[in-house]
Amino acid sequence: MDSNEKKQNYKKDFVVFQDVVKLYGSGDATVRAADGMSFSIDEGDFVVIVGPSGAGKTTALNILGGMDTLTSGHVLVDGEDIGQYKGKRLTQYRRDEIGFVFQFYNLVQNLNALENVELASQICKDTMNAREVLREVGLSDRLYNFPAQLSGGEQQRVAIARALAKNPKLLLCDEPTGALDYQTGKAILKLLQDTCRQKKITVFVITHNSAIAPMAHKVIHIKNGKVDKIKENAFPVKADILEW
Amino acid sequence: MKAIHKEFYVDIRKTIGRFISIFLIVALGVGFYAGIRSTEPDMRLTGDHMYDASDLMDLRIISTLGLEAFDVEKIAELDCIEKAAGAYSGDVIGQIGDNEHVIRFLSMPDGINEVTVTDGRKPENSAECMLDRSFMEQQELKIGDKLEIVSAGNREIGDLLTNTEYTVVGSFTSTQYMSASTKGTSTVGDGKVAGLAAVPEDAFALEVYTEIYASVSGAKEETCYTDAYDELVEAAADEIRDKVQDVCIQARYDEMYQAASDVIDEIVAGEKEVENGIADANQVIVDLKKQIQTAEKGIRKLEDGISEAEAGKKQAQAAIDEIQGTVDVYDRYIERFSDLGYVPAGQLTNRDVPLEQLETEKQQYVTAQAPYKGTIEQLDKTIADCRRQIAEIEEQIAKAEAGIQTANEEIAKAEDTLKDLQLKEGDARAARDELESPVWYLTDRNSIQTYLDYDQDAERISRIGIVFPVIFFLVAMLVSLTTMTRMVSEQRTQIGTLKALGYSKFSIALKYIRYALLATVLGSIVGSIIGSKLLPVVIVNAYHILYPSLSHVVTPVNLTYTLTAMGIAIGLVLAATVFASYRTLAANAAALMRPESPKAGKKVLLERIPFLWNHLGFYGKSTYRNLVRYKKRFFMTLFGVSGSMALLLVGFGLKDSTSEISDQQYGELHTYNASVVMNLSASDARMEEARTFLNEDNRINGYMEMQEGTVTASSPAKELTVYLEVPKESGGLPQYIKLRDRADKEADLPLTDDGVIITDKMARLLDVQAGDTFLLEINETEQKELKVAGIAENYIYHYIYMTPAVYEEIYGKKPEYNKMLLDTAEGIEEDSLTSDLLNLKAVNSVLFNSYIQDKFQDVLKSIDIIVLVLLISAGGLAFVVIYNLNNINIAERKRELATLKVLGFYDAEVTRYVYRENILITILGIGVGCVLGIFLHQFVIQTAEIDLIRFYKQIRGVSFLYSALLTAAFSIVINIGMYFKLKKIDLAASMKSIE
């Protein structure tokens, strides 16, 4: 499958950042976490955001994920300016449009794999079957295991399944392999890439490991709160042949 | 070690919420314990101060014949007596405005039983009085009002008081009459003393003191209600009994005997006088009669004289008549021969006789008549004289006869008087013969009802004070346990680091111990100070409703209780701390450096019931698993909430139990409406009058006669003072008193000659069952065995019921029915019936059960105070545990909650997620609290109940409801407060690595 074929029925400029500015603090202590970021992403893209620590990757992801508000600029998702959302509207956006994958999985320890997925699916309208999603991430025989009984990779799969179960428009992953070993990390990346292709979900992955950049449709380099450069891969590399 | 010190204080600052949790729960526990335990001694001390300040008597002496200055003197002479003073008192019906009240008049002896003037001034003359403050307030009276005495019961007002109208010049309180509602019973009016009037001594017209008050040397230095005090006073009472009583009684008896003899002598003297009068009168009669006789003799003599004179007159007349014949002859001759002038011879003589000669001769004869005429005249005079004399004498006789009449009348009158006097003499002699030695009654302060009530109130509070702190201490331990567990696990890495640096286990543990210790000690100090300063004041002040004259509360910090409580708290908290930290401390440094593996979620029991489990949302599932996972927290909160629930339930339950006592006793068991105490010395006629009244008055449906007395019953287990009730006809008993089994309320226990029926609490205290026997004291030396035929439900006091036959068998005499139980009609005016009854000479006193029930309402008020204290404590308890639980939950699950927020959970949903647990624990807690509360309530009423009363054991349903609602309300209020804390959780917290 290639990107050109894909783009025929996918929306262009599905996600647009226009001069996004985010300031923390005030006066002399003001930190410009995002200092006029602009980029545009098409639907179904696998996007990797790379950059050094404190460059503003997470800020960008937080704003895109509706976890943070912006100071100025516009963020358009599927034509809606979510940068203007506040309070409950913002929560609702998170709830219905966003799937989030954390570095430390953030599973609820008290719920087993299936229930952790249901946790997400219970609150959305248009959801996928939790068992089905878990089967898709390869955990059909671990449904009733609690997080503590699962390996890191398995936990992350549950987390991904939880994010996917909501049928989100965007899947945002914050260092999804940061706590995993090499092989497991690769497997997770492959899962994310496959998900992106098969479910036509736009995936954002934050990483400080630029070695995974080749698997993305778009690689956004961020530096000092600005977009340093955007690199497009016409033919993204499959995750399982990446080496780092 | 310096750095570790510094770190210690930083830790406290950073975990101030936790620190406060321990601090608060310890303060609550210690405060409650020290406070309530201190209340008893504080109440006693307060009472003691108050009694001492008013010089409340230690002993009171009353005598059946009154008391005199001599008695006062004798008692005061004793070394053990500091002061003795005679006093007067008496009950009257007084009218103020339109209302009549029973007023007890009291004299104000100097330096003993001092009254406190609360308004106005003391009365200065015998027409002024002070009234007690609560009466003034209840009746809205003011200074200047007039109190008019309407009646003094059976005696004349003038025999008791010198005046009939008194001006109110002030109000007062008295420690002898502390209760606002219960001032005593009376034999006048409706039988209930409504108000007290303090007057100067000279307002009383009594000849003897009605009582003597005495204070015992050294008793002031002792605290009342203590054994030391009681012993001192008892010793003084014994001394009075041994050294003074007999002397005074003899003196008084002699005096009374003398007085009675004087009366007799006086009567006898009177009799003699009357008798003398009668004798005199008789003499007069005799004399007069003699006079009459003499007079009559005189009359007879005079009449003889008259007859004699009459005879003389007749003789004289005859003589005159005879001479007149001769004269007539001469006249005939003279007339016949007047023509001739001479009488031819032959006629008279042989010669002629001239008429002149004849005339002359005739004249001689006429002249010879004159003396006879004179005699007749003389005799007529004599007769007339005699007649006059007779009339005179007859007048004298009439007079004498009148005199006799008068004298007879006098005698009759005197004889009547004499008869009277003789009767009087008989009475007086009988009275003197019946004169008994006066009996002295020595009573101490225990005869003052409020003195006893107050002590019992103090004891009740104290007993409850033993029970409740247990809950607080347990919760304190659980709070410390969870808090310290959390703290140790949070600082796991740090502990590992310190260990790696070479700090010993002990020095690391010391930090946590110090942390807990500091919170505990601070909590103990603050708690015990606030508790022992505040609680007694709150409780005692609340008792003001019952005892308006209670003065300022004395609340020394009671070191024993404070230190005990502090010791318990420290011990428990330290144990919890050590328990919480030992496992972590035991682990090696390397293991501690790794994050603690999260506690695995576990399958809970409920999961094995798929039907239920599958219906739960993830909220539910998570909640149940959480509860199981964090057991310490769960139990802490559960125990706290259920403790809170239980406390409330106990509070409301106590109220139920107490209010039910009188409802059950007077509504279900003692169904008679009033009891009338009869005057056994009243005459049969008077008794009959009373019975007739009871039979005929339509306000009375029926009555039953019985004998009531106080006796001592004993078994090896206990000795009790109980009422002995002997109903005249046991068949009629159920209309007035229901004897029934507690278990089977429908079955009446029959009272037969086979044995006696005793009440249940008495059976419990004596430890006897139906069929067992116990001992009844017949007199000081003799006890008899009684067989228990049945045990009857009862709540107030102890009773033995027996038939007259059993009574006679035991005592060897017939019962004297001194009491009548009345079944009155609905809706009658009790006051007017009471006064009608008291107007009967055979009736001593009347008591309506409604009055006793009213008195019980006062007890309920004191329970209200306890309920309030429990309410506050329950609130505090619920607050601490739920606050602590939320605090820990939120701190520990910050990341989880932030994750949920990232996943798009609304604030309300996140809150619900957390609160579900609280709600569930609250519900569970309420459930467990119900059970705990029921047991605690049972325990409390068993410890708190006094021997004389058996509490009703059941709690009303509505009390469960109130308690549950209040517990839920506490939980809700605290949870609302936590909502804002939850809202503040930052989404970025989800990004943080596991600590």
Side-chain angles (χ1 to χ4, degrees):
Chain A
M1 194 190 298
D2 66 47
S3 59
N4 291 330
E5 175 200 338
K6 176 195 77 182
K7 298 212 170 171
Q8 283 166 4
N9 40 13
Y10 288 179
K11 294 173 187 162
K12 270 191 76 70
D13 297 331
F14 191 61
V15 175
V16 179
F17 265 50
Q18 286 177 351
D19 294 320
V20 172
V21 174
K22 176 69 188 178
L23 305 179
Y24 287 115
S26 58
D28 287 346
T30 306
V31 177
R32 304 182 78 85
D35 193 6
M37 280 186 199
S38 296
F39 58 79
S40 167
I41 307 293
D42 295 340
E43 191 179 12
D45 273 354
F46 191 101
V47 183
V48 170
I49 301 174
V50 288
S53 288
K57 307 184 296 270
T58 305
T59 306
L61 198 72
N62 283 353
I63 289 168
L64 183 56
M67 291 160 64
D68 213 342
T69 52
L70 43 76
T71 312
S72 68
H74 296 281
V75 177
L76 301 174
V77 175
D78 200 9
E80 294 283 320
D81 189 353
I82 65 126
Q84 308 304 316
Y85 290 177
K86 277 189 179 62
K88 194 158 182 184
R89 181 78 186 83
L90 202 59
T91 309
Q92 200 185 353
Y93 164 70
R94 282 203 302 274
R95 191 176 177 119
D96 295 335
E97 323 276 356
I98 302 296
F100 213 96
V101 176
F102 302 88
Q103 180 178 6
F104 299 103
Y105 338 126
N106 291 21
L107 299 178
V108 177
Q109 294 295 325
N110 262 324
L111 300 176
N112 62 29
L114 182 64
E115 288 158 0
N116 259 291
V117 177
E118 284 170 348
L119 176 66
S121 61
Q122 261 189 359
I123 59 168
C124 310
K125 294 166 281 186
D126 178 25
T127 60
M128 295 171 68
N129 181 282
R131 284 166 200 273
E132 183 61 21
V133 187
L134 278 167
R135 195 188 52 75
E136 281 171 12
V137 301
L139 289 176
S140 43
D141 49 352
R142 310 302 298 261
L143 293 181
Y144 299 107
N145 285 86
F146 286 99
Q149 296 165 320
L150 298 170
S151 72
E154 285 170 328
Q155 288 191 50
Q156 195 60 296
R157 279 166 195 271
V158 176
I160 289 167
R162 180 174 68 184
L164 291 177
K166 291 164 77 175
N167 242 336
K169 283 182 180 161
L170 307 175
L171 180 61
L172 311 180
C173 313
D174 187 5
E175 301 271 9
T177 60
L180 299 174
D181 60 61
Y182 178 73
Q183 284 302 331
T184 320
K186 259 171 87 165
I188 292 296
L189 286 175
K190 179 172 169 6
L191 175 63
L192 288 174
Q193 196 177 37
D194 292 349
T195 304
C196 172
R197 290 189 177 179
Q198 288 156 17
K199 299 200 176 286
K200 303 167 186 175
I201 293 173
T202 314
V203 178
F204 284 78
V205 174
I206 287 183
T207 181
H208 58 266
N209 180 7
S210 42
I212 66 168
M215 65 179 285
H217 290 110
K218 255 183 190 162
V219 183
I220 300 171
H221 290 266
I222 292 188
K223 215 173 178 181
N224 298 327
K226 291 190 170 76
V227 176
D228 189 35
K229 57 181 175 183
I230 299 175
K231 184 172 167 255
E232 285 193 54
N233 294 326
F235 298 100
V237 177
K238 281 197 167 182
D240 40 1
I241 55 170
L242 281 175
E243 298 280 347
W244 65 84
Chain B
M1 286 297 273
K2 277 264 170 74
I4 213 167
H5 271 289
K6 197 165 179 183
E7 197 241 334
F8 176 65
Y9 293 108
V10 174
D11 261 352
I12 293 178
R13 212 169 39 237
K14 274 188 359 204
T15 60
I16 192 73
R18 236 167 260 171
F19 191 81
I20 287 173
S21 288
I22 300 182
F23 171 85
L24 271 184
I25 189 72
V26 169
L28 208 57
V30 171
F32 206 72
Y33 181 86
I36 295 217
R37 294 308 304 273
S38 300
T39 301
E40 185 189 9
D42 286 356
M43 273 180 84
R44 296 219 164 108
L45 220 55
T46 301
D48 187 57
H49 272 249
M50 187 173 64
Y51 298 142
D52 286 349
S54 66
D55 294 304
L56 182 65
M57 98 261 175
D58 296 308
L59 286 169
R60 172 171 181 249
I61 298 117
I62 50 176
S63 162
T64 46
L65 292 179
L67 294 153
E68 293 186 294
F70 174 76
D71 302 327
V72 179
E73 230 168 77
K74 278 284 167 198
I75 291 169
E77 268 171 18
L78 290 175
D79 284 342
C80 63
I81 297 299
E82 191 172 293
K83 189 172 172 61
Y88 301 102
S89 66
D91 298 345
V92 298
I93 296 175
Q95 183 172 358
I96 305 172
D98 291 331
N99 297 322
E100 286 188 0
H101 312 275
V102 176
I103 309 277
R104 174 160 295 168
F105 270 69
L106 306 165
S107 68
M108 299 180 291
D110 244 359
I112 202 154
N113 283 359
E114 291 274 15
V115 298
T116 310
V117 180
T118 49
D119 200 8
R121 59 169 173 82
K122 282 197 175 184
E124 282 162 4
N125 60 55
S126 63
E128 292 179 345
C129 73
M130 283 193 292
L131 293 176
D132 75 285
R133 186 174 60 185
S134 59
F135 179 65
M136 297 262 292
E137 281 168 2
Q138 282 157 16
Q139 298 298 329
E140 295 174 354
L141 306 177
K142 52 192 186 306
I143 289 172
D145 283 348
K146 300 267 188 243
L147 165 64
E148 196 189 330
I149 312 303
V150 178
S151 142
N154 289 334
R155 55 186 159 186
E156 295 298 314
I157 297 172
D159 290 346
L160 177 67
L161 296 170
T162 51
N163 279 300
T164 53
E165 195 181 82
Y166 293 84
T167 309
V168 179
V169 296
S171 69
F172 72 99
T173 59
S174 162
T175 49
Q176 201 186 350
Y177 296 91
M178 280 204 300
S179 168
S181 54
T182 320
K183 288 158 194 161
T185 53
S186 174
T187 52
V188 307
D190 63 0
K192 182 187 164 192
V193 176
L196 307 167
V199 289
E201 263 189 27
D202 57 10
F204 281 92
L206 293 168
E207 281 166 13
V208 287
Y209 292 125
T210 48
E211 54 247 300
I212 293 175
Y213 295 125
S215 52
V216 173
S217 306
K220 241 185 201 185
E221 284 70 40
E222 298 292 344
T223 307
C224 58
Y225 298 117
T226 60
D227 289 344
Y229 170 83
D230 287 345
E231 278 161 22
L232 193 69
V233 171
E234 191 46 43
D238 283 343
E239 211 171 326
I240 292 176
R241 268 190 279 265
D242 292 346
K243 294 189 181 160
V244 180
Q245 185 173 337
D246 293 341
V247 179
C248 289
I249 284 175
Q250 194 57 49
R252 182 80 181 122
Y253 177 76
D254 290 349
E255 192 197 353
M256 295 295 286
Y257 192 88
Q258 192 52 54
S261 302
D262 287 351
V263 169
I264 294 170
D265 290 351
E266 207 178 295
I267 295 169
V268 169
E271 281 170 16
K272 205 148 269 164
E273 209 174 295
V274 174
E275 277 165 355
N276 287 342
I278 292 171
D280 287 353
N282 278 329
Q283 191 55 53
V284 167
I285 291 170
V286 169
D287 288 353
L288 286 175
K289 278 184 175 160
K290 227 178 255 169
Q291 260 180 48
I292 289 170
Q293 275 170 7
T294 318
E296 278 170 348
K297 227 180 262 170
I299 288 172
R300 270 195 299 276
K301 224 184 258 170
L302 285 170
E303 278 170 348
D304 286 350
I306 289 172
S307 315
E308 225 171 280
E310 293 288 356
K313 256 172 84 179
K314 239 176 236 165
Q315 265 178 346
Q317 196 60 49
I320 288 172
D321 290 347
E322 207 181 64
I323 293 170
Q324 192 62 43
T326 310
V327 170
D328 288 347
V329 174
Y330 274 101
D331 278 346
R332 242 175 331 196
Y333 278 98
I334 289 170
E335 204 182 87
R336 198 166 134 202
F337 296 109
S338 55
D339 306 333
L340 293 175
Y342 66 87
V343 180
Q347 284 287 29
L348 288 170
T349 54
N350 41 6
R351 48 165 195 128
D352 288 349
V353 177
L355 281 180
E356 280 82 11
Q357 196 187 330
L358 278 179
E359 214 43 70
T360 307
E361 282 177 15
K362 180 193 130 186
Q363 241 6 263
Q364 279 169 342
Y365 283 104
V366 169
T367 307
Q369 258 182 330
Y372 291 106
K373 281 190 177 158
T375 303
I376 285 175
E377 214 163 282
Q378 193 64 42
L379 284 172
D380 276 340
K381 235 180 231 165
T382 305
I383 287 168
D385 203 38
C386 279
R387 290 243 152 86
R388 193 178 35 77
Q389 276 184 53
I390 285 171
E392 253 166 44
I393 290 169
E394 273 174 344
E395 215 166 276
Q396 274 175 26
I397 287 173
K399 229 184 243 167
E401 274 169 348
I404 288 170
Q405 178 80 24
T406 315
N408 275 330
E409 273 164 16
E410 264 170 21
I411 287 168
K413 222 187 261 170
E415 270 167 352
D416 279 352
T417 312
L418 188 61
K419 215 173 272 168
D420 265 9
L421 282 173
Q422 275 163 345
L423 279 175
K424 266 189 193 161
E425 188 195 337
D427 287 350
R429 278 186 196 281
R432 191 179 64 179
D433 289 346
E434 274 169 22
L435 201 60
E436 279 173 15
S437 284
V439 180
W440 273 25
Y441 295 100
L442 256 75
T443 53
D444 52 20
R445 289 181 180 175
N446 288 323
S447 65
I448 303 172
Q449 190 56 41
T450 49
Y451 179 88
L452 284 181
D453 290 347
Y454 184 75
D455 186 41
Q456 282 178 359
D457 285 336
E459 207 180 306
R460 252 197 293 276
I461 291 275
S462 166
R463 289 201 202 176
I464 288 161
I466 303 168
V467 189
F468 292 113
V470 172
I471 298 177
F472 291 100
F473 284 134
L474 270 176
V475 174
M477 193 169 81
L478 286 167
V479 166
S480 317
L481 191 63
T482 50
T483 308
M484 296 317 289
T485 304
R486 171 69 194 149
M487 185 152 170
V488 168
S489 81
E490 263 176 18
Q491 301 194 341
R492 186 182 164 82
T493 320
Q494 196 193 4
I495 293 170
T497 312
L498 286 172
K499 265 197 144 179
L501 288 174
Y503 282 100
S504 75
K505 237 191 294 187
F506 178 69
S507 60
I508 299 168
L510 207 58
K511 179 181 128 178
Y512 301 101
I513 290 171
R514 281 173 56 202
Y515 184 91
L517 207 59
L518 189 68
T520 308
V521 171
L522 284 179
S524 301
I525 293 171
V526 171
S528 63
I529 290 174
I530 294 179
S532 55
K533 284 284 169 199
L534 198 69
L535 267 183
V537 176
V538 169
I539 295 172
V540 177
N541 276 337
Y543 272 109
H544 263 287
I545 307 164
L546 297 179
Y547 309 111
S549 54
L550 268 189
S551 58
H552 155 79
V553 187
V554 189
T555 56
V557 170
N558 194 315
L559 267 187
T560 321
Y561 293 133
T562 303
L563 290 179
T564 312
M566 198 188 262
I568 296 170
I570 288 173
L572 290 175
V573 172
L574 280 192
T577 307
V578 170
F579 182 78
S581 59
Y582 85 99
R583 210 171 46 161
T584 305
L585 285 169
N588 65 46
L592 291 173
M593 297 298 233
R594 286 194 296 274
E596 189 181 17
S597 50
K599 257 193 159 178
K602 262 190 274 178
K603 279 200 159 187
V604 295
L605 201 64
L606 205 61
E607 280 180 69
R608 309 202 188 278
I609 313 163
F611 172 75
L612 284 177
W613 185 251
N614 292 337
H615 276 83
L616 286 173
F618 93 94
Y619 288 117
K621 291 175 179 171
S622 166
T623 303
Y624 288 116
R625 292 213 183 97
N626 257 336
L627 293 181
V628 175
R629 191 153 72 135
Y630 303 108
K631 288 196 190 64
K632 280 181 219 158
R633 268 177 235 172
F634 169 67
F635 282 116
M636 170 196 76
T637 320
L638 181 69
F639 205 83
V641 174
S642 57
S644 172
M645 170 76 188
L647 287 180
L648 290 170
L649 202 53
V650 168
F652 289 123
L654 264 179
K655 211 173 162 187
D656 291 347
S657 297
T658 348
S659 62
E660 278 294 311
I661 289 174
S662 71
D663 290 352
Q664 291 283 328
Q665 182 81 10
Y666 298 109
E668 300 271 328
L669 303 173
H670 285 192
T671 48
Y672 63 89
N673 306 99
S675 58
V676 177
V677 175
M678 307 304 290
N679 180 4
L680 283 178
S681 56
S683 65
D684 290 347
R686 290 299 191 190
M687 281 303 227
E688 214 36 61
E689 176 193 33
R691 284 197 190 93
T692 312
F693 178 87
L694 292 175
N695 278 325
E696 286 175 1
D697 196 287
N698 57 16
R699 288 170 294 185
I700 297 163
N701 294 336
Y703 70 94
M704 183 185 68
E705 292 185 54
M706 59 183 255
Q707 177 188 295
E708 179 176 272
T710 321
V711 295
T712 303
S714 62
S715 76
K718 186 117 184 165
E719 189 178 286
L720 286 177
T721 305
V722 303
Y723 285 111
L724 174 63
E725 314 272 290
V726 187
K728 199 171 180 183
E729 295 131 18
S730 29
L733 194 60
Q735 192 188 346
Y736 304 92
I737 296 173
K738 259 209 173 50
L739 298 178
R740 67 180 190 198
D741 190 72
R742 169 174 318 289
D744 182 9
K745 296 197 191 273
E746 296 308 314
D748 281 342
L749 296 172
L751 185 58
T752 65
D753 295 344
D754 294 339
V756 300
I757 290 178
I758 63 173
T759 51
D760 44 14
K761 176 106 189 229
M762 175 181 168
R764 197 174 80 207
L765 291 171
L766 291 181
D767 193 21
V768 293
Q769 323 257 316
D772 293 351
T773 57
F774 66 95
L775 291 174
L776 184 70
E777 201 173 277
I778 306 298
N779 54 46
E780 277 182 12
T781 53
E782 200 184 351
Q783 289 188 322
K784 284 210 173 146
E785 243 183 29
L786 282 183
K787 183 168 160 262
V788 179
I791 292 172
E793 180 179 2
N794 186 62
Y795 295 91
I796 303 171
Y797 305 130
H798 311 300
Y799 296 96
I800 302 174
Y801 297 94
M802 62 169 71
T803 58
V806 175
Y807 182 89
E808 213 176 328
E809 189 189 316
I810 289 175
Y811 285 93
K813 59 178 182 189
K814 287 198 182 301
E816 291 181 297
Y817 301 103
N818 58 348
K819 205 170 174 180
M820 307 229 182
L821 304 185
L822 305 190
D823 178 12
T824 60
E826 294 275 321
I828 56 155
E829 279 217 4
E830 296 183 352
D831 286 353
S832 71
L833 179 55
T834 303
S835 23
D836 289 352
L837 283 167
L838 285 174
N839 278 338
L840 296 166
K841 290 275 186 295
V843 168
N844 256 358
S845 65
V846 179
L847 185 61
F848 269 87
N849 282 349
S850 60
Y851 169 65
I852 309 176
Q853 277 178 289
D854 285 349
K855 223 187 115 183
F856 247 86
Q857 295 304 315
D858 290 346
V859 178
L860 288 188
K861 281 182 196 152
S862 73
I863 301 284
D864 279 343
I865 298 150
I866 297 171
V867 173
L868 185 71
V869 170
L870 289 178
L871 195 90
I872 294 166
S873 326
L877 196 61
F879 173 79
V880 171
V881 292
I882 298 177
Y883 170 80
N884 198 40
L885 174 78
N886 279 333
N887 227 1
I888 292 175
N889 268 350
I890 290 171
E892 193 169 272
R893 285 154 60 180
K894 221 175 212 163
R895 214 165 76 92
E896 187 177 308
L897 299 175
T899 304
L900 291 180
K901 285 192 169 188
V902 172
L903 287 178
F905 280 68
Y906 297 126
D907 282 338
E909 286 168 331
V910 175
T911 311
R912 203 162 88 205
Y913 176 65
V914 177
Y915 281 1
R916 230 175 144 110
E917 211 171 309
N918 296 348
I919 291 166
L920 195 76
I921 297 185
T922 304
I923 292 169
L924 273 178
I926 288 171
V928 174
C930 280
V931 179
L932 196 67
I934 290 169
F935 280 107
L936 202 60
H937 174 253
Q938 293 287 314
F939 180 71
V940 167
I941 57 177
Q942 287 200 3
T943 23
E945 90 179 354
I946 46 177
D947 276 357
L948 283 179
I949 287 173
R950 204 177 65 83
F951 280 165
Y952 194 69
K953 297 282 186 314
Q954 265 137 42
I955 306 173
R956 288 187 306 159
V958 69
S959 297
F960 282 96
L961 186 69
Y962 289 154
S963 307
L965 287 180
L966 271 171
T967 309
F970 290 146
S971 174
I972 289 165
V973 166
I974 301 152
N975 282 329
I976 286 172
M978 292 313 262
Y979 172 75
F980 298 98
K981 205 163 172 174
L982 273 181
K983 223 180 155 174
K984 271 198 283 183
I985 290 177
D986 185 9
L987 274 71
S990 61
M991 308 296 182
K992 286 188 189 135
S993 66
I994 303 160
E995 279 168 4

